[in-house]
Amino acid sequence: MDEHEIREALDRHWAASDENDFDREHDIYGEDAVLEYPQSGEHIRGRHNIQASRVAQPNAKRFTVRRIVGSGDLWVTEFILAYDGRPSYSVSVMEFRDGKVARETQYFGDPFEPGPSRAQWVEPA
């Protein structure tokens, strides 16, 4: 799988995630893929278990991709994951092997108020 094909697979993955199309969302993962959430200490092993854990998630979810960068077998997606309308700024690091995701690590950060000490240098996002 070349970089163009990986990018297309990522675009399909994130679109399916936003549409709650769990089958299409998980096409990108290898059978023995591992998903890690460092902030909660969770490791989920296997495409079937990754999909089942997401199907069981009770909140309404929306995904907004901000940027995808990568090359070779390592790709990073910055996105906003809104659970029931509340945004969580997120990063997904995906490692590919044989055209499928072998490992994904997701990091989450909640929004916070801007610091007044740096206000003079800040441009609105």
Side-chain angles (χ1 to χ4, degrees):
M1 184 176 260
D2 67 22
E3 290 182 359
H4 179 74
E5 292 170 315
I6 289 175
R7 176 57 195 252
E8 288 178 345
L10 286 165
D11 289 340
R12 285 191 306 273
H13 167 75
W14 294 113
S17 297
D18 188 51
E19 296 164 6
N20 289 309
D21 182 340
F22 294 108
D23 290 329
R24 197 166 49 104
E25 176 184 20
H26 291 86
D27 283 344
I28 201 168
Y29 296 96
E31 288 299 321
D32 60 346
V34 174
L35 172 62
E36 297 181 323
Y37 297 118
Q39 290 156 301
S40 63
E42 295 170 280
H43 299 265
I44 304 170
R45 187 172 307 278
R47 184 176 62 80
H48 175 75
N49 291 333
I50 294 168
Q51 182 173 349
S53 72
R54 289 178 173 158
V55 170
Q57 215 294 329
N59 302 79
K61 300 177 299 241
R62 295 305 309 256
F63 291 79
T64 304
V65 173
R66 297 185 66 188
R67 164 168 94 131
I68 298 174
V69 295
S71 66
D73 293 332
L74 186 62
W75 289 78
V76 177
T77 304
E78 295 177 29
F79 62 101
I80 300 169
L81 172 55
Y83 285 114
D84 295 328
R86 184 168 181 226
S88 182
Y89 295 84
S90 309
V91 174
S92 165
V93 179
M94 290 183 171
E95 300 171 46
F96 285 78
R97 182 177 58 233
D98 300 324
K100 295 286 185 179
V101 173
R103 176 174 301 277
E104 179 180 18
T105 305
Q106 287 192 356
Y107 301 92
F108 299 91
D110 291 331
F112 56 89
E113 291 299 316
S117 64
R118 61 182 176 266
Q120 68 189 23
W121 301 287
V122 173
E123 298 175 11

